[in-house]
Amino acid sequence: MSKLTLRWPIVLFVLAFQSFCLLRHDLGHGAGFTHSYIYNSVWILEFNNSLAQGQFPPRWLHGAWVGMGASSFYFYPPLAFYVAAFVRYAFGTIDYPMITAWATYLMVFGSGLSMFAWLRSRVGDAWALIGALAYVAAPYHLVNFYVRGSIGETAAYMTLPLFALCLERAARSWAWVPGLALSFAALVMSHLVIGMLVFVTLLPAYAVHLLLDTPRDQRRDMVLRLAAAALLGLATAASYLGPAMLMQKMALLRIMWGHDADPYNWALLTPDRWPQKPFSTSMAWMACGIAGAGLAAVVAVVGRELSSPRREALAWGFGVLFAFALYAMPWPWHGFTGQFLGKAQFPYRLMLGMEFAAVTAIILALAHGRRWLLLVLLVAAAVPTLKGFSMHKDVIAYHLQQVGDLTPPDTAPHIACRRAPEEHLPAAFSGGPRYAVDPFCRTGFADTPLAGAQDDGARVTAASVFPDGSVAIAVEAVRPTRIVLRKHYFPTWEIGRVQKGRDPLVKAEPSQPDGLLSFVAEPGSHTYRARIVRSPLEKVCDTITLAALALILAWLGLSLRRRLRERYGEEGLLAPFRAFMRIRTR
């Protein structure tokens, strides 16, 4: 079976058809309701608006919370929303439920293609296609786009196999270092938490295999290549990673790690603490089933001569079991390791990497291990998997009954007012009576002017918002007076007093308790301009990313030139062009 060769058009058709069958309702009617439906819709709309306004990369969302703004893309991974932006501009003016559906389709289809590319060099085309089909239809994958709706995790399903492929190739060749750097950055920009969980669970197990699979005299070079790729990957992702990691204290992100989002409470060994039952119970059953599948692959190859493919199956199988053990234990999620692991919020996110590793291990074991034993064990592992998945049947049915955002009834109003996650409020926000009126759509601020003076020491004579989100404020003041804008404060707001030449800057500060943008106007009649600018950190990180991309392009160019010289001799890059011209002139 491993010798069967499949043409790419066949593979493309099969995977495209499978993805269509899984998402046919959404593709026809628009995405159905999920846990993240409102946020996905708002982010897609605002991300596209930011791109249309010439903001690149988009970070501050001016339209969020009825124009008060949100800092979402300083922190949230953007890759899935670039896919959504591509759908928006490729399809023209379609509504956000359809953008969400088609963006999800492209990423689900892409996950199948990337899984096929990862597996085919190991087990041949036929087994690779079976593995890709299983990966696309894996239980947590289905729960993700039917129930949870985390399109960032859907993007990670697509980029994880590419990362593994480039990691394996870079371990053997310097030519693949740029590919590993790009795939590393893509995984991080798909979902930072998923990337972290993969790096601490699956990566160590596979790294041991790569080390053992490399001749002793070449291991030093392998380590150097991987270290170079890691550094280059961090540099490539710096434009996102820098603000996401170093600007967290500027927003209300601390509220993300409460009781229901404390991974300690989700640990499998503490069922009495599980929140959100029966959802947490279903996740536990599914995790047990996936771990059972990984264990089945290990058992199927143990006891036979450990060839390279069987050792790799063991590595991925042990990776699944290690991730499952981390899910099970509460202690790593608090204390010293909890400083970074605790950011995961939900340990069930480990299942994304577990599914990738389990499918890889199973396909390798099917191709090189004891197949009948493996199949029997997989049937046993399917029991808890199906039990957990069946607990979502009502929610999945509800998803498939929806047409766009017509139900539940509060969905459309929350999208219309551009509701964003509470954790993206300013760090200085502490609530207040106007917030308490309506914490979702901020109707308590409906009568608040765009800009107003805190006392009678000044009068705002005019205030206007421009298409790029900047605000102009004309003020007449008899003494220094604080002016408050109906905009959420963030340190990247810059306020300048408009005059001839360079505008002198005025200090921007948060007001209490609402965390709104404010500044002190000087006596006299002046016009002030408030706008979002790139912070020094952003400029440094963007520069690092551009430098890394330039280095990658140069590296790829040199590699291409070398390969063309090896194939065509000294003519090098001109050889294909000259051959094409000879064909044209015949």
Side-chain angles (χ1 to χ4, degrees), residues 215-424:
R216 288 180 180 273
D217 60 337
Q218 298 177 23
R219 289 176 182 174
R220 177 177 172 273
D221 287 344
M222 185 199 80
V223 173
L224 288 175
R225 283 192 293 270
L226 298 186
L231 290 174
L232 191 55
L234 286 171
T236 305
S239 180
Y240 159 69
L241 198 55
M245 298 295 292
L246 301 177
M247 298 179 73
Q248 292 188 12
K249 292 183 178 180
M250 299 176 182
L252 208 63
L253 295 187
R254 61 183 179 272
I255 70 171
M256 292 177 64
W257 300 291
H259 178 270
D260 282 6
D262 184 347
Y264 184 95
N265 295 326
W266 290 80
L268 299 179
L269 295 180
T270 58
D272 55 314
R273 301 177 65 96
W274 291 351
Q276 299 179 23
K277 291 181 179 180
F279 181 80
S280 55
T281 307
S282 70
M283 294 289 104
W285 279 113
M286 287 169 54
C288 291
I290 297 168
L295 180 61
V298 170
V299 172
V301 297
V302 164
R304 307 194 73 175
E305 181 184 351
L306 282 184
S307 60
S308 178
R310 290 172 188 150
R311 186 166 55 242
E312 184 175 2
L314 282 178
W316 289 115
F318 282 130
V320 174
L321 297 177
F322 179 63
F324 178 70
L326 183 59
Y327 189 171
M329 296 183 295
W331 313 286
W333 304 103
H334 280 182
F336 174 74
T337 54
Q339 296 298 311
F340 60 95
L341 287 178
K343 305 294 185 183
Q345 295 181 293
F346 312 112
Y348 59 74
R349 283 176 163 157
L350 285 159
M351 283 194 284
L352 193 157
M354 288 170 64
E355 286 183 338
F356 166 77
V359 170
T360 300
I362 290 167
I363 295 299
L364 287 168
L366 282 170
H368 303 284
R370 295 186 288 267
R371 294 178 186 173
W372 289 110
L373 174 60
L374 176 61
L375 291 174
V376 170
L377 294 174
L378 286 178
V379 170
V383 174
T385 305
L386 293 175
K387 179 178 177 61
F389 186 76
S390 66
M391 296 175 72
H392 297 283
K393 63 181 181 181
D394 292 340
V395 182
I396 293 174
Y398 183 73
H399 171 101
L400 296 175
Q401 292 170 1
Q402 309 310 307
V403 179
D405 59 356
L406 298 182
T407 51
D410 61 347
T411 302
H414 285 181
I415 294 172
C417 72
R418 301 295 194 268
R419 174 188 170 188
E422 304 299 305
E423 59 264 25
H424 298 158

Side-chain angles (χ1 to χ4, degrees), residues 83-94 106:
V83 176
F86 167 78
V87 171
R88 162 68 180 84
Y89 291 105
F91 282 67
T93 53
I94 60 176
L106 289 179

Side-chain angles (χ1 to χ4, degrees), residues 117-204:
W118 157 244
L119 290 173
R120 69 188 304 239
S121 64
R122 285 156 173 70
V123 293
D125 290 359
W127 284 122
L129 182 57
I130 292 172
L133 292 169
Y135 184 61
V136 169
Y140 183 67
H141 203 169
L142 297 178
V143 168
N144 191 52
F145 57 74
Y146 284 137
V147 179
R148 297 196 62 243
S150 172
I151 60 176
E153 291 185 23
T154 303
Y157 268 105
M158 176 177 63
T159 54
L160 179 53
L162 294 178
F163 170 71
L165 174 64
C166 293
L167 177 62
E168 185 265 337
R169 300 293 175 85
R172 290 163 173 77
S173 171
W174 283 99
W176 279 85
V177 168
L180 179 55
L182 288 171
S183 62
F184 176 97
L187 178 58
V188 167
M189 294 178 68
S190 298
H191 203 287
L192 181 56
V193 167
I194 296 297
M196 175 192 70
L197 294 175
V198 166
F199 296 152
V200 301
T201 56
L202 304 184
L203 190 59

Side-chain angles (χ1 to χ4, degrees), residues 43 93 234 428 435 489 493 561 580:
W43 283 339
T93 53
L234 286 171
Y435 167 77
Y489 170 80
W493 277 106
R561 181 181 179 186
F580 174 74

Side-chain angles (χ1 to χ4, degrees), residues 562-576 579:
R562 180 181 58 80
R563 294 188 65 178
L564 289 174
R565 279 188 173 178
E566 290 174 355
R567 183 170 182 178
Y568 298 105
E570 290 302 318
E571 289 186 343
L573 289 170
L574 295 178

